Amino acid sequence: MKNNLSWFSIIEVVVASFILSLSVFWVYKLIWENTKLIWKSYNYMQANFLFQPMKECIEKIWYDSIVWTGDSKIYIDLWTEWDNCSIWTNASVLLIDNLEYQFFWEISNTTTNSINWILKIDTLDAWIIQENYQQKKR
């Protein structure tokens, strides 16, 4: 009879260890998913903050000073000093916090007094976010 009881306790220990290891695994998985969600949220927030330098870059130039290539997509090269920007016909990549960004805009509508822009930021890893902007002639 004692022999049967010892096997029963060994089976209990094995089952309890299995349940404990599964619960620890799921706790670590939840922590990992939460960290990933926080990191993606931070990157999305940072990308949205980068629209302001794009708007300032647009305000420094006007449509007539853009070299028109026939393509509606115009790339922006924001320098690390943020006090100067330039327009490119090909994509340039800006690296911030080990995440690569491409900045470009498209002209959606033009009038004699304003230009409607669609500003886009491509993170090259996850998404492209966009914002509409209207530039008025000074």
Side-chain angles (χ1 to χ4, degrees):
M1 185 112 182
K2 277 191 167 189
N3 207 3
N4 288 340
L5 287 177
S6 65
W7 277 105
F8 182 69
S9 63
I10 290 175
I11 291 172
E12 284 180 336
V13 169
V14 168
V15 169
S17 298
F18 180 72
I19 291 172
L20 184 64
S21 64
L22 277 180
S23 63
V24 168
F25 169 75
W26 285 110
V27 166
Y28 279 121
K29 183 166 174 48
L30 287 173
I31 291 171
W32 170 254
E33 290 295 323
N34 190 28
T35 305
K36 189 168 69 170
L37 182 67
I38 290 171
W39 181 247
K40 284 189 176 191
S41 174
Y42 171 76
N43 289 339
Y44 184 77
M45 181 181 63
Q46 183 173 3
N48 275 311
F49 285 142
L50 293 174
F51 278 119
Q52 188 59 37
M54 286 181 70
K55 291 176 185 176
E56 291 174 9
C57 182
I58 288 174
E59 285 300 321
K60 289 183 179 181
I61 62 172
W62 180 250
Y63 178 74
D64 295 336
S65 63
I66 296 174
V67 178
W68 189 254
T69 61
D71 189 11
S72 64
K73 187 183 286 187
I74 302 166
Y75 294 96
I76 305 169
D77 185 19
L78 296 174
W79 295 356
T80 54
E81 294 88 21
W82 299 104
D83 61 351
N84 198 354
C85 62
S86 56
I87 300 169
W88 297 90
T89 54
N90 56 356
S92 63
V93 176
L94 181 66
L95 186 67
I96 301 173
D97 288 341
N98 292 326
L99 192 62
E100 296 178 335
Y101 295 95
Q102 277 185 351
F103 304 96
F104 56 96
W105 59 43
E106 295 176 0
I107 299 171
S108 63
N109 189 16
T110 60
T111 64
T112 56
N113 294 329
S114 68
I115 302 172
N116 293 330
W117 302 91
I118 300 174
L119 310 176
K120 295 183 181 183
I121 298 176
D122 186 359
T123 60
L124 300 178
D125 288 334
W127 59 82
I128 296 176
I129 56 176
Q130 71 179 25
E131 185 175 310
N132 293 325
Y133 178 65
Q134 182 179 23
Q135 179 186 20
K136 296 186 180 182
K137 191 170 188 175
R138 295 183 230 162

